[in-house]
Amino acid sequence: MKNNDNYKLTIGWLYPELMSTYGDRGNIISLQKRCEWRGIDVKILRLDFGFRISDLKACDMLFMGGAQDTQQTIVSKDLKEKKQVLREMIEDNIPGLYICGAYQFLGKYYKEADGTIIEGLDILDLYTENPGENAKRLIGNIVIELNNNILRAKQGGVEKFSTSSNNTLIGFENHGGRTYLGKNVKALATVKVGFGNNGTDKTEGAVYKNSFGTYLHGPILPKNPHFADHLIKLALEKKYLPAMQDSKALQAGKKTIQLKELDDSLELQAHKHIAQGLGVTI
Ligand code: GLN
């Protein structure tokens, strides 16, 4: 199998103190370890409140976790001045994972239970509203099936994630906000068990270019190592094979970066066990 040890990645961790709930930090550990186990030189750059734009620009991948409304209000103030650069990076295919409150930030706005509006970055065509204090929170374990739009065409077929034979993601959700997608953004997945974006239309998360928004805490990446690898692969290809961002090149079956395989048998067994416990056979 390929050796990955000539590669270097800088992963930007946005607001690690303020935006990190329900084990979201585990996503950073998962990305870091999965790179290190392959010999990829990985640097985690903490982007705390007031961080420098030059640090943001140095990142090959971005991650931001979820939070309560109070923290979101604080962070939204700092994000305002970073909006333009963040937009440029997302438009430029810099891979990113945005969980729950962070996912809500990518949209136009988040309306809190009392009607207060927290302005979003308005990068993705979506908005989020909490219907009010009496509305139930959307809490529990969740199983979703990834939509085809995130699988990349390869030689007329479909390129599956390297370490898994399924397209299922499992996680834990806890949110009051209901997210509604506009025409210019695609859902990441379809809900099998749980609530997802709004508890009604069966959509979960959103995908735009190489950016993924989702309600899945858990944390999502240790529970779904195939998804962690997808992000790492996207970041490496963006950095080292920029032509691969062109879907025509992929369809022509051009060479892509192959990640060294890891033994994920335990993780995948746990993944399967949880899904089955929730009534989903994979
Ligand atoms: N405050 C948001 C909501 O409840 C986000 C919650 C979270 O990130 N877990 O909808």
Side-chain angles (χ1 to χ4, degrees):
M1 201 56 202
K2 293 274 177 299
N3 206 337
N4 298 147
D5 55 12
N6 290 324
Y7 298 129
K8 282 186 183 167
L9 283 182
T10 300
I11 300 174
W13 186 4
L14 287 149
Y15 308 103
E17 302 292 335
L18 290 161
M19 301 292 291
S20 189
T21 44
Y22 313 116
D24 286 340
R25 178 175 152 266
N27 294 312
I28 286 292
I29 298 170
S30 173
L31 291 169
Q32 183 173 13
K33 287 289 165 200
R34 296 184 76 77
C35 285
E36 285 172 1
W37 289 331
R38 296 179 163 112
I40 299 167
D41 184 353
V42 63
K43 180 173 161 197
I44 307 296
L45 198 55
R46 293 173 68 99
L47 301 170
D48 285 298
F49 191 94
F51 64 82
R52 288 180 309 192
I53 299 269
S54 55
D55 283 343
L56 179 62
K57 285 184 177 167
C59 296
D60 304 306
M61 189 199 293
L62 295 172
F63 170 74
M64 180 166 23
Q68 302 310 316
D69 297 4
T70 320
Q71 286 87 348
Q72 279 179 253
T73 307
I74 300 169
V75 166
S76 72
K77 297 190 175 90
D78 196 47
L79 269 181
K80 250 184 205 159
E81 61 191 67
K82 272 88 187 195
K83 181 172 170 169
Q84 190 50 33
V85 175
L86 213 43
R87 176 194 294 275
E88 282 164 18
M89 290 175 79
I90 289 175
E91 291 291 346
D92 187 34
N93 280 309
I94 295 292
L97 176 63
Y98 305 86
I99 311 290
C100 203
Y103 165 40
Q104 295 172 352
F105 269 139
L106 294 179
K108 296 181 198 317
Y109 65 89
Y110 166 52
K111 185 159 105 184
E112 295 182 66
D114 67 0
T116 308
I117 299 280
I118 301 180
E119 221 182 285
L121 292 163
D122 199 10
I123 300 174
L124 269 59
D125 185 13
L126 57 92
Y127 65 92
T128 305
E129 295 188 347
N130 185 320
E133 260 129 41
N134 296 327
K136 78 169 184 179
R137 281 188 76 78
L138 308 181
I139 305 179
N141 288 316
I142 173 165
V143 183
I144 60 175
E145 192 163 304
L146 292 165
N147 290 337
N148 280 340
N149 56 44
I150 84 148
L151 301 174
R152 298 179 300 174
K154 189 186 173 192
Q155 291 169 333
V158 154
E159 184 185 49
K160 298 268 182 192
F161 293 142
S162 56
T163 54
S164 175
S165 57
N166 69 73
N167 293 319
T168 311
L169 299 184
I170 53 168
F172 167 76
E173 61 183 323
N174 184 349
H175 50 111
R178 273 75 166 160
T179 296
Y180 300 93
L181 306 181
K183 287 193 300 290
N184 300 324
V185 70
K186 299 234 164 38
L188 171 67
T190 304
V191 176
K192 294 281 160 196
V193 176
F195 301 102
N197 280 337
N198 48 55
T200 52
D201 68 10
K202 295 268 170 212
T203 64
E204 208 299 308
V207 53
Y208 178 69
K209 298 205 171 188
N210 286 337
S211 293
F212 303 89
T214 175
Y215 275 108
L216 272 66
H217 294 283
I220 181 173
L221 297 182
K223 287 187 170 179
N224 304 281
H226 46 307
F227 195 46
D229 281 359
H230 187 60
L231 290 167
I232 294 171
K233 201 162 159 8
L234 286 174
L236 289 175
E237 287 173 359
K238 160 77 183 140
K239 186 167 183 179
Y240 293 100
L241 297 175
M244 285 302 106
Q245 300 303 309
D246 173 1
S247 61
K248 282 194 198 118
L250 280 168
Q251 272 155 19
K254 289 241 165 76
K255 201 169 132 285
T256 59
I257 287 177
Q258 294 303 308
L259 293 181
K260 191 170 143 192
E261 268 181 46
L262 300 175
D263 178 7
D264 289 329
S265 47
L266 275 179
E267 287 90 337
L268 293 173
Q269 213 177 309
H271 175 102
K272 206 166 164 181
H273 179 77
I274 295 170
Q276 279 170 353
L278 294 167
V280 177
T281 308
I282 53 174

